[in-house]
Amino acid sequence: MTTAETAKAETATAETTNWGRWGADDERGALNLLTPEMLKAAAASIRTGRVYPLGIPIQANGVPLMDYRGKPMRLTLQDSTDEGIYDVYGCKPGTGAHEDVLVFASHTTSHMDALIHVYEDGHHYNGVPAGAMRALSGATKLGIEKVGGFAARAVLLDLPRYFGDPKWVEPGRNITGEDLAGASAAQGVDVRAGDVVLVRTGYLQMWFEQQGDSGFAQAGIGLDAAEWLAARDVVAVGSDNAAIEVIPFENNDFLAVHKVLLVRRGIYMIEFLDLSAPAADEAWEGLLTVAPLKVTGATGSPVNPIFVS
Amino acid sequence: MTTAETAKAETATAETTNWGRWGADDERGALNLLTPEMLKAAAASIRTGRVYPLGIPIQANGVPLMDYRGKPMRLTLQDSTDEGIYDVYGCKPGTGAHEDVLVFASHTTSHMDALIHVYEDGHHYNGVPAGAMRALSGATKLGIEKVGGFAARAVLLDLPRYFGDPKWVEPGRNITGEDLAGASAAQGVDVRAGDVVLVRTGYLQMWFEQQGDSGFAQAGIGLDAAEWLAARDVVAVGSDNAAIEVIPFENNDFLAVHKVLLVRRGIYMIEFLDLSAPAADEAWEGLLTVAPLKVTGATGSPVNPIFVS
Amino acid sequence: MTTAETAKAETATAETTNWGRWGADDERGALNLLTPEMLKAAAASIRTGRVYPLGIPIQANGVPLMDYRGKPMRLTLQDSTDEGIYDVYGCKPGTGAHEDVLVFASHTTSHMDALIHVYEDGHHYNGVPAGAMRALSGATKLGIEKVGGFAARAVLLDLPRYFGDPKWVEPGRNITGEDLAGASAAQGVDVRAGDVVLVRTGYLQMWFEQQGDSGFAQAGIGLDAAEWLAARDVVAVGSDNAAIEVIPFENNDFLAVHKVLLVRRGIYMIEFLDLSAPAADEAWEGLLTVAPLKVTGATGSPVNPIFVS
Amino acid sequence: MTTAETAKAETATAETTNWGRWGADDERGALNLLTPEMLKAAAASIRTGRVYPLGIPIQANGVPLMDYRGKPMRLTLQDSTDEGIYDVYGCKPGTGAHEDVLVFASHTTSHMDALIHVYEDGHHYNGVPAGAMRALSGATKLGIEKVGGFAARAVLLDLPRYFGDPKWVEPGRNITGEDLAGASAAQGVDVRAGDVVLVRTGYLQMWFEQQGDSGFAQAGIGLDAAEWLAARDVVAVGSDNAAIEVIPFENNDFLAVHKVLLVRRGIYMIEFLDLSAPAADEAWEGLLTVAPLKVTGATGSPVNPIFVS
């Protein structure tokens, strides 16, 4: 960091951020909170042995996509029309292989944001300047490959159940810290340091039922809940909506919650997770693994987190 | 299935295959073996709480790539030159987001094969004809989305250690069932039904040290080891090489081991996993999660399996 | 060709096809008709010196796209965030370059079909079997690179004008040989061997005005006009609609006109050309250049033909 | 333009640039020079009726590619495995269509630079700031779609012939204005306002013979020749090398000639044209059409210019 950046970082780290908390050069943020002991505790919390893959499909239609991100493409690289090309390797007649090429946005359907994803006042987490992201090389710092992949205890909070909503929380509702505390109390599960908190709003069920005719508004957490989560030192927050946070944005401030969690605290955000199956099973606690693809320099990755309860 | 296909399936299922074992319409193969009890046992096997993401980077250079699959591309979708586009959503000056588009083969670097990947005598696992893969729509059966994602007990067998090789098993060596049995006995770990067996050959360490100048040959399991694994009802086999199996192919039969495991038994194969870190820690047993992207109709997916020991 | 294919080709070439006309191995079809003398005549037909690029934009919205072909993507490869990467080559501060990566279907918006595009009874032009197209390598014969690029005399026939339609020919109308003869007579321009005939239906103007809300039907030539054109030994037919031919297809026979022109005669087809500007200028005759990208093995290419009248 | 930009533009336009020459908002540069009379003269210069497509293949191997631009991909979108999908449209058995998806850099193999391609002192042609190129939307000004496509008289200057080099001009040789004047005099062809000048260095023949083992250096025009061409008001300069200009760059100034031609004058540059066929035929003069794909916002386009002599 330049002197100016260091000065900026020092200001920002006063209480409201995690900048500098794990060193001036840290690129992993809240993942530093995780300890082997937490993992063992998470493993010990597995009771039913049920496994929930939380990702939704990646396809061109029938799933929520942002127009500017383009439509995912699966293209055939090799199929049965290629018979004979492996004869030199001893390929018998009738034997062959099918392969594809995939084209999609790093933030398509279920995905995890890298710390390079969002910046505020020209800076990312830990004072990394916005210019650390470059068009040709991608992220020179804070790229998704720095995450590597992680496992943690996860807690699922089911807000439609807590609010008594029939199917989903009404679009635009700002979920508060008190709401999260209330839901965790009602479900009998506590939020601890090092946890991933999965906040179910029912948005995906609304989207699938209405096939996208639901407009831009979504229920999600607001600034109060973001601070509540940050104060508890969670590692990541996942949700079933497009941006974790309530839309329209709180205070009409674009990505307000991303700035609190991702930029200031280095707390990861995982969007578009289908949380309906574990919610139906009342699987409130378990071990979660999140395995972004290690695409060097990328700003995020599609993921399919595995929740074992 | 047509009558002819049914007849074929009946022939093939005699002892040497799992066709029909989980129903004529089954598309998940050996994943049917997994039970909640196995998961609980896997969770109970977690001792140190260490977490190992096994995927290697996805990038255009410095990793093993097959020329015909093309080079992975990470392209910038949105960067700091786009300032102002979110003003309508209340975006403050200095705030912004970085995003990418990714282009790569489904079988690039660390990846998992779907059951639609390989066929023999014109048929895939469970008698599904090769024509179930179509260029435009992709896999109409046995696509990677049928996997969903899974967790299982995993056992790591370190063959260079067992053979006393200094760094890696010599290229072209055929690893047998006796070798696997010997390694598991030497390491004091048993292979059970429902396991994922991770076979370390050291190939990746050789590749990284030689930067691909090592030619086409690779150490890997042969037909004997494949039958040994199939007899134990494992769910999947992972390795650190390009194809799990020894190359040149045993009997000069292209994809001989793929045919035994993937086609005949529905046992999954996960290639190019970096197993060096858990091997160095002697982490022989633990919980593994494998989370392919749910790309509808795809023949495989890059993965970054998480091994918790 | 195998004996069977040769036999088939001999049958097919009886009168109704050009198979074998330019040799058993010919891959260029009607382009063989072009002579330097025709080119000189075409050059001599240039009167006003006006230049009309006939291609329409390639972009994700606002142009007619087929859903299955995906949306064209222009992605930034390099921009001003990359400052400094060329310092080693003497790049001065403030100097830089912008570049993109393009992703689109070969048949996106204005495009030319290669002879490998369509097959009938399992065979392409000149008896080339459908299997000459392979997923991995692409066209092993008749690919777009065999075209190279060409120039020819072109004649523009304006059907809305001829029919007295206010803006466009009504969707679904089958344009006949008599219609083409009538339009050419009314416009005082003749169709000769070696010509490209540009048939304006007004479809694009309808699409732009209605922004795609016009359904699937389109005016276009039918079988009678196709035979009329083939009998005159034209080199290519261009139009402003999606498939040159009337939709619903004549006799409810999918790609009926493609089979007559492209498959049986090797006459090229160029779709989605905006012919409104030369039509407004009554530029009925001139020199046309068509320059498909020489993508090895491709089934077609976007084009932007240049018409000089 | 802001006031500052206007001031800058005024300074820059003093003699050495074309900024402002065609209006403060002009985005087409030297294309403004073209008149219908020039086109008619170009048509009149056609003598032999020979047609030369000047583009080289777009493929992953065997052609000069810059590593950072990635390898071109042609991927199969639809092939004979898709039989049956068009039955609803009356598709007969045995009939089908082949299609692809293309992925490549806008500046891959034979290509044309848009005026947004290069900037100097933070500005493009006509004072357009570098920030007019944005990652998400692409070029907001000076994009390749502003070219549309054009035709012009073209003059081919064959430098190996002029220098008496056996096959190609030696790598690194700086071709001067005097060289261009000498070659045109020796060939008996003059360079006029509105021309495209095609400068053959033999680079492609060297590359094909040596398959890229020729290093980075290339013969090309230097600043003197650039000024010579600019003084003659040419519309575009094409060459058979990677950047038109000599490499190492003159004065070790990155893209020195691009700055003179593209940035200051709005004169277009077209790279990697295979000029060997017309040179062998001594086709020194003719009509050239250049038809970039109208990709909205792109910084350039692959092209396959058609030269008719």
Side-chain angles (χ1 to χ4, degrees):
Chain A
M1 279 194 282
T2 63
T3 313
E5 283 161 11
T6 305
K8 176 166 184 59
E10 282 167 0
T11 309
T13 48
E15 295 187 43
T16 59
T17 86
N18 284 329
W19 295 15
R21 178 174 173 186
W22 297 291
D25 294 331
D26 176 60
E27 300 189 46
R28 302 193 76 231
L31 288 170
N32 287 289
L33 292 163
L34 291 173
T35 66
E37 284 64 39
M38 287 175 185
L39 248 292
K40 286 190 277 187
S45 77
I46 294 176
R47 295 222 173 73
T48 65
R50 283 189 182 139
V51 178
Y52 305 93
L54 303 180
I56 63 169
I58 298 179
Q59 55 191 30
N61 296 293
V63 291
L65 298 170
M66 304 268 183
D67 189 58
Y68 76 89
R69 286 172 177 157
K71 289 199 169 200
M73 286 191 273
R74 183 218 57 81
L75 295 158
T76 296
L77 177 63
Q78 186 178 303
D79 69 20
S80 55
T81 63
D82 293 304
E83 194 166 315
I85 58 174
Y86 295 116
D87 287 358
V88 64
Y89 301 116
C91 188
K92 291 189 179 166
T95 293
H98 296 306
E99 299 195 7
D100 333 82
V101 166
L102 311 176
V103 182
F104 43 61
S106 53
H107 293 248
T108 205
T109 67
S110 308
H111 66 269
M112 175 178 181
D113 299 339
L115 295 180
I116 197 72
H117 176 45
V118 171
Y119 57 92
E120 176 188 17
D121 285 341
H123 288 78
H124 295 275
Y125 164 75
N126 220 12
V128 170
M133 175 71 189
R134 314 186 74 167
L136 184 60
S137 59
T140 58
K141 288 190 176 181
L142 305 181
I144 195 71
E145 77 276 17
K146 301 295 165 59
V147 170
F150 69 97
R153 178 176 178 265
V155 169
L156 167 58
L157 302 180
D158 188 15
L159 275 299
R161 170 187 301 245
Y162 177 66
F163 289 148
D165 290 323
K167 291 179 174 177
W168 48 74
V169 182
E170 63 180 314
R173 176 159 183 174
N174 185 324
I175 297 165
T176 65
E178 196 173 354
D179 295 333
L180 299 183
S184 61
Q187 296 175 199
V189 65
D190 60 324
V191 172
R192 306 175 197 159
D195 277 359
V196 177
V197 178
L198 302 171
V199 181
R200 182 170 180 273
T201 69
Y203 175 86
L204 273 181
Q205 279 63 52
M206 180 180 77
W207 197 95
F208 288 130
E209 188 170 315
Q210 302 177 353
Q211 281 297 301
D213 289 336
S214 43
F216 190 59
Q218 67 175 22
I221 64 171
L223 293 172
D224 182 69
E227 294 292 351
W228 187 90
L229 289 159
R232 271 147 194 80
D233 260 348
V234 301
V235 160
V237 184
S239 199
D240 55 356
N241 57 18
I244 310 289
E245 61 189 297
V246 61
I247 295 180
F249 297 105
E250 186 163 337
N251 302 329
N252 188 35
D253 182 11
F254 181 66
L255 294 180
V257 167
H258 277 70
K259 294 193 282 192
V260 168
L261 293 178
L262 197 70
V263 180
R264 297 181 201 164
R265 316 287 182 137
I267 295 172
Y268 289 85
M269 304 177 76
I270 311 171
E271 282 90 351
F272 281 134
L273 299 181
D274 191 345
L275 305 168
S276 58
D281 289 347
E282 303 190 4
W284 306 135
E285 186 183 6
L287 175 73
L288 184 81
T289 63
V290 183
L293 302 179
K294 291 178 179 172
V295 183
T296 305
T299 63
S301 172
V303 289
N304 181 13
I306 307 290
F307 182 50
V308 188
S309 80
Chain B
M1 282 194 278
T2 64
T3 312
E5 283 160 10
T6 305
K8 177 164 183 59
E10 281 166 1
T11 308
T13 48
E15 294 185 44
T16 60
T17 85
N18 283 328
W19 294 16
R21 179 173 173 187
W22 298 290
D25 294 332
D26 176 58
E27 300 188 46
R28 302 194 77 229
L31 287 170
N32 287 290
L33 292 163
L34 293 172
T35 65
E37 283 63 39
M38 288 176 185
L39 247 293
K40 285 190 278 188
S45 77
I46 294 175
R47 296 223 171 74
T48 65
R50 284 188 182 140
V51 177
Y52 304 93
L54 303 180
I56 62 169
I58 298 179
Q59 55 192 29
N61 295 293
V63 291
L65 298 170
M66 304 268 182
D67 189 58
Y68 76 89
R69 287 173 177 155
K71 291 198 169 204
M73 285 191 274
R74 183 219 57 79
L75 295 157
T76 296
L77 177 63
Q78 186 178 302
D79 69 19
S80 55
T81 62
D82 293 303
E83 194 166 316
I85 59 173
Y86 296 117
D87 286 359
V88 64
Y89 301 116
C91 187
K92 290 188 180 169
T95 293
H98 296 307
E99 299 195 8
D100 332 82
V101 166
L102 311 177
V103 182
F104 44 61
S106 53
H107 293 247
T108 205
T109 68
S110 309
H111 66 269
M112 175 178 181
D113 299 339
L115 294 180
I116 197 73
H117 176 44
V118 171
Y119 58 92
E120 177 188 17
D121 285 339
H123 289 79
H124 296 275
Y125 165 75
N126 221 10
V128 171
M133 175 71 189
R134 315 187 74 167
L136 184 59
S137 59
T140 58
K141 287 192 176 180
L142 306 179
I144 196 69
E145 77 277 16
K146 301 295 165 59
V147 170
F150 68 96
R153 178 177 178 266
V155 169
L156 168 57
L157 302 180
D158 189 15
L159 276 299
R161 169 186 303 245
Y162 176 65
F163 289 147
D165 290 324
K167 290 179 173 176
W168 48 75
V169 181
E170 61 179 314
R173 176 160 182 173
N174 184 324
I175 296 165
T176 66
E178 197 174 351
D179 295 334
L180 298 184
S184 63
Q187 297 176 199
V189 66
D190 60 324
V191 172
R192 305 176 197 160
D195 277 0
V196 177
V197 178
L198 302 170
V199 180
R200 184 172 177 271
T201 70
Y203 175 87
L204 274 180
Q205 277 63 52
M206 181 181 76
W207 197 96
F208 288 131
E209 190 170 313
Q210 303 178 354
Q211 281 297 302
D213 288 337
S214 43
F216 190 58
Q218 67 176 21
I221 64 170
L223 293 172
D224 182 70
E227 293 294 350
W228 187 91
L229 290 159
R232 270 146 194 82
D233 260 348
V234 302
V235 160
V237 183
S239 199
D240 54 357
N241 56 18
I244 310 289
E245 62 188 296
V246 61
I247 294 180
F249 297 104
E250 186 163 339
N251 301 329
N252 189 35
D253 182 10
F254 182 66
L255 294 180
V257 168
H258 277 70
K259 293 193 282 191
V260 168
L261 294 177
L262 198 70
V263 180
R264 298 182 201 163
R265 316 288 182 137
I267 295 173
Y268 290 85
M269 304 177 75
I270 311 172
E271 283 90 352
F272 281 135
L273 299 182
D274 191 345
L275 304 169
S276 58
D281 290 348
E282 303 189 5
W284 307 134
E285 187 185 4
L287 175 74
L288 183 82
T289 62
V290 183
L293 302 180
K294 291 179 179 170
V295 182
T296 305
T299 64
S301 172
V303 288
N304 181 13
I306 307 290
F307 182 49
V308 187
S309 80
Chain C
M1 280 194 279
T2 63
T3 313
E5 283 162 9
T6 305
K8 175 164 184 59
E10 281 166 2
T11 308
T13 49
E15 294 185 46
T16 59
T17 85
N18 284 329
W19 294 16
R21 178 173 173 188
W22 297 291
D25 295 332
D26 176 59
E27 301 189 46
R28 303 193 76 230
L31 288 170
N32 287 290
L33 293 163
L34 292 172
T35 66
E37 284 63 39
M38 287 176 184
L39 247 294
K40 286 190 277 189
S45 78
I46 294 176
R47 296 221 172 75
T48 65
R50 282 189 181 138
V51 178
Y52 305 93
L54 303 180
I56 62 169
I58 298 179
Q59 54 191 30
N61 295 293
V63 290
L65 298 170
M66 304 269 183
D67 189 59
Y68 76 90
R69 287 174 176 154
K71 290 199 170 202
M73 284 192 273
R74 185 218 56 80
L75 295 158
T76 295
L77 177 63
Q78 186 178 301
D79 69 19
S80 56
T81 62
D82 293 303
E83 194 165 314
I85 59 173
Y86 296 116
D87 286 359
V88 66
Y89 301 115
C91 189
K92 292 189 179 167
T95 292
H98 296 306
E99 298 194 9
D100 334 82
V101 165
L102 311 177
V103 182
F104 43 61
S106 53
H107 293 246
T108 204
T109 68
S110 308
H111 66 270
M112 176 178 179
D113 300 338
L115 295 180
I116 197 73
H117 176 44
V118 170
Y119 58 93
E120 176 188 18
D121 286 339
H123 289 78
H124 295 275
Y125 165 75
N126 220 11
V128 171
M133 175 72 189
R134 314 186 74 167
L136 184 60
S137 59
T140 57
K141 287 191 176 182
L142 306 180
I144 195 70
E145 77 276 16
K146 301 293 166 60
V147 170
F150 69 98
R153 177 175 178 265
V155 169
L156 167 58
L157 302 181
D158 188 16
L159 275 300
R161 171 186 301 244
Y162 177 65
F163 289 148
D165 290 324
K167 291 180 173 176
W168 48 75
V169 182
E170 62 180 314
R173 175 159 184 175
N174 183 324
I175 296 165
T176 66
E178 197 174 352
D179 295 334
L180 298 183
S184 62
Q187 295 176 200
V189 66
D190 59 325
V191 172
R192 305 175 198 161
D195 277 359
V196 177
V197 178
L198 302 171
V199 180
R200 183 171 180 271
T201 70
Y203 175 87
L204 273 181
Q205 279 63 52
M206 181 181 77
W207 198 96
F208 289 130
E209 188 169 314
Q210 302 178 354
Q211 282 296 301
D213 288 338
S214 42
F216 189 58
Q218 67 176 22
I221 64 170
L223 293 173
D224 181 70
E227 293 293 350
W228 187 92
L229 290 160
R232 273 148 192 79
D233 260 348
V234 303
V235 160
V237 184
S239 199
D240 54 356
N241 57 18
I244 310 289
E245 62 189 297
V246 62
I247 294 179
F249 297 104
E250 186 163 337
N251 301 329
N252 189 34
D253 182 11
F254 180 66
L255 294 180
V257 168
H258 277 71
K259 294 193 281 191
V260 168
L261 293 177
L262 198 70
V263 180
R264 298 181 201 164
R265 317 286 182 137
I267 295 172
Y268 290 85
M269 304 177 75
I270 311 171
E271 283 90 352
F272 281 136
L273 300 181
D274 192 343
L275 304 168
S276 58
D281 289 348
E282 303 190 3
W284 307 135
E285 186 183 6
L287 175 73
L288 184 81
T289 63
V290 182
L293 302 179
K294 291 178 179 171
V295 183
T296 304
T299 65
S301 172
V303 289
N304 180 13
I306 307 291
F307 182 49
V308 187
S309 78
Chain D
M1 281 192 279
T2 63
T3 312
E5 284 160 10
T6 305
K8 175 164 185 58
E10 282 167 359
T11 307
T13 48
E15 293 184 46
T16 59
T17 85
N18 284 329
W19 295 15
R21 179 173 172 186
W22 297 291
D25 295 331
D26 176 59
E27 300 188 47
R28 302 193 77 230
L31 287 170
N32 287 289
L33 292 163
L34 292 172
T35 66
E37 284 63 39
M38 287 176 185
L39 247 294
K40 285 189 279 188
S45 77
I46 294 176
R47 295 218 175 75
T48 66
R50 284 190 182 136
V51 177
Y52 304 93
L54 303 179
I56 63 169
I58 299 179
Q59 54 192 29
N61 295 293
V63 291
L65 298 170
M66 305 268 184
D67 189 59
Y68 76 90
R69 286 173 177 156
K71 290 199 168 202
M73 285 191 274
R74 183 218 57 80
L75 296 157
T76 295
L77 178 63
Q78 186 178 301
D79 69 20
S80 55
T81 63
D82 292 304
E83 195 165 314
I85 59 174
Y86 296 116
D87 286 358
V88 64
Y89 301 116
C91 188
K92 291 189 180 167
T95 293
H98 296 306
E99 299 195 9
D100 332 83
V101 165
L102 310 176
V103 182
F104 44 61
S106 54
H107 292 247
T108 205
T109 68
S110 308
H111 66 268
M112 177 179 180
D113 300 339
L115 295 180
I116 197 74
H117 176 45
V118 171
Y119 57 92
E120 177 187 17
D121 286 339
H123 288 77
H124 295 274
Y125 165 75
N126 220 10
V128 170
M133 176 71 189
R134 315 186 74 168
L136 184 60
S137 60
T140 58
K141 287 191 176 181
L142 306 180
I144 196 69
E145 77 275 17
K146 301 294 165 60
V147 170
F150 69 97
R153 177 177 178 266
V155 169
L156 167 58
L157 302 180
D158 189 16
L159 276 299
R161 170 187 301 246
Y162 177 66
F163 289 148
D165 290 325
K167 290 180 173 176
W168 48 75
V169 182
E170 62 180 314
R173 176 159 183 174
N174 184 323
I175 297 165
T176 67
E178 196 174 350
D179 295 333
L180 298 183
S184 63
Q187 296 176 201
V189 66
D190 60 323
V191 172
R192 306 176 196 160
D195 278 359
V196 176
V197 178
L198 302 171
V199 180
R200 183 170 178 271
T201 70
Y203 176 86
L204 273 181
Q205 278 63 52
M206 180 180 77
W207 197 96
F208 288 130
E209 189 170 312
Q210 303 178 352
Q211 282 296 302
D213 288 337
S214 43
F216 189 59
Q218 68 175 22
I221 64 171
L223 294 172
D224 182 69
E227 293 293 350
W228 187 92
L229 289 160
R232 271 146 194 81
D233 261 347
V234 302
V235 160
V237 184
S239 200
D240 54 357
N241 56 18
I244 310 288
E245 60 188 297
V246 62
I247 293 178
F249 297 105
E250 187 163 336
N251 301 328
N252 188 34
D253 182 10
F254 181 66
L255 294 180
V257 167
H258 276 71
K259 294 193 282 192
V260 168
L261 293 178
L262 198 70
V263 180
R264 298 182 201 163
R265 315 289 181 135
I267 295 172
Y268 289 84
M269 303 177 76
I270 310 172
E271 283 90 351
F272 281 135
L273 300 182
D274 191 344
L275 304 169
S276 58
D281 289 348
E282 303 191 3
W284 307 135
E285 185 184 7
L287 176 73
L288 184 82
T289 62
V290 184
L293 302 179
K294 292 178 179 172
V295 183
T296 305
T299 64
S301 172
V303 289
N304 180 14
I306 307 290
F307 181 50
V308 187
S309 79

